[in-house]
Amino acid sequence: MPPITVRFRRFTSLNTTIRLRESQIFVSLSDLLEGAPEAVIHAIAHILLAKLYKKPIDAAENLRYKRFASSAAVTRQTELIRHARGSKRYFGPEGRFYHLEEVFDSLNLRFFGGLLGRPELTWSEHHAKRSLGHYDAAHNTIVVSRVFDRPSSPRYAIEYLLYHEMLHLKHPVKMRGVRRCVHSREFKAEEALFPRMAEALAFIKRL
Ligand SMILES: [Zn+2]
């Protein structure tokens, strides 16, 4: 049996990965599975090894894992919402003029084939001008400044802002040596696909 390294990671999906590299097995699991009962851990091990060695997966083991995973996903969702509402003040996606979820969903369809998972979306508490928008990876939340929630704010401006933050979801921060590369070359190339970027930037500058 090859040596096995197992890692539990926070804020990844429930999807697990298994890899055989240089005759070592690397397994990566969601931290939600860390406290799982032994029968579930056994089921996960069974499924992953079956996948790795291309063997059939036992239906009972599969069912055991699926049951646990769906309840764990619910737990995480509840925890996320509590987290967002508790330690971080939560103002919600519904503004007076724009609904962030609606804007997110339309951008997701237009630019990402609808494939981006929707994070928590919330308007900022104040009409912040210093921070117009940011993606908070720890809380999986995009915060948009309330200055955009007014009729004089064109839709393409808030769309551009949200599009930029969505690219942060798609392109996680890379380390280049000791430097964090937040806006990589691929990030910028994809950002340039936004049709009214120049106008949006001009509007933001006026703000
Ligand atoms: Zn950015």
Side-chain angles (χ1 to χ4, degrees):
M1 183 168 74
I4 301 178
T5 303
V6 179
R7 275 200 303 180
F8 290 95
R9 295 172 143 170
R10 182 147 179 86
F11 285 127
T12 51
S13 67
L14 270 162
N15 287 344
T16 51
T17 61
I18 187 163
R19 244 174 319 182
L20 187 60
R21 214 170 47 207
E22 289 162 5
S23 64
Q24 268 207 60
I25 292 179
F26 293 92
V27 180
S28 176
L29 300 166
S30 162
D31 64 325
L32 279 175
L33 302 168
E34 206 168 1
E38 199 176 322
V40 175
I41 297 286
H42 186 275
I44 294 165
H46 170 85
I47 292 165
L48 290 174
L49 290 170
K51 279 186 175 161
L52 187 65
Y53 293 107
K54 301 192 168 54
K55 301 279 184 203
I57 294 171
D58 185 271
E61 299 281 27
N62 203 28
L63 187 65
R64 192 165 294 137
Y65 170 66
K66 288 268 150 62
R67 276 211 190 108
F68 183 83
S70 60
S71 68
V74 172
T75 306
R76 170 55 46 89
Q77 207 51 38
T78 321
E79 185 189 309
L80 266 176
I81 291 166
R82 202 188 314 117
H83 207 67
R85 289 189 179 146
S87 63
K88 205 133 166 129
R89 292 181 67 189
Y90 180 83
F91 298 95
E94 197 179 344
R96 291 175 64 190
F97 300 98
Y98 293 109
H99 197 298
L100 292 173
E101 286 179 352
E102 183 272 313
V103 181
F104 181 99
D105 290 344
S106 75
L107 290 168
N108 200 5
L109 279 179
R110 262 165 75 202
F111 296 99
F112 303 94
L115 293 176
L116 223 54
R118 193 169 69 196
E120 294 284 327
L121 296 161
T122 180
W123 289 103
S124 65
E125 180 178 10
H126 302 292
H127 293 246
K129 289 193 179 172
R130 203 178 295 164
S131 169
L132 296 176
H134 72 275
Y135 170 59
D136 176 346
H139 296 86
N140 191 34
T141 301
I142 292 176
V143 182
V144 178
S145 170
R146 220 171 263 283
V147 288
F148 288 96
D149 189 30
R150 26 172 102 148
S152 59
S153 175
R155 187 175 167 103
Y156 64 76
I158 178 177
E159 279 187 346
Y160 163 73
L161 196 93
L162 202 51
Y163 178 64
H164 178 100
E165 301 311 325
M166 289 165 82
L167 289 176
H168 279 304
L169 276 178
K170 187 176 166 184
H171 301 271
V173 174
K174 281 188 198 147
M175 297 301 287
R176 198 175 280 160
V178 289
R179 277 193 55 208
R180 295 168 83 235
C181 180
V182 181
H183 302 117
S184 63
R185 202 178 328 130
E186 304 87 75
F187 182 107
K188 284 178 180 157
E190 204 167 334
E191 187 179 36
L193 298 176
F194 191 81
R196 302 178 78 176
M197 184 170 163
E199 278 169 273
L201 285 171
F203 174 81
I204 286 169
K205 212 167 179 182
R206 284 201 299 279
L207 275 181

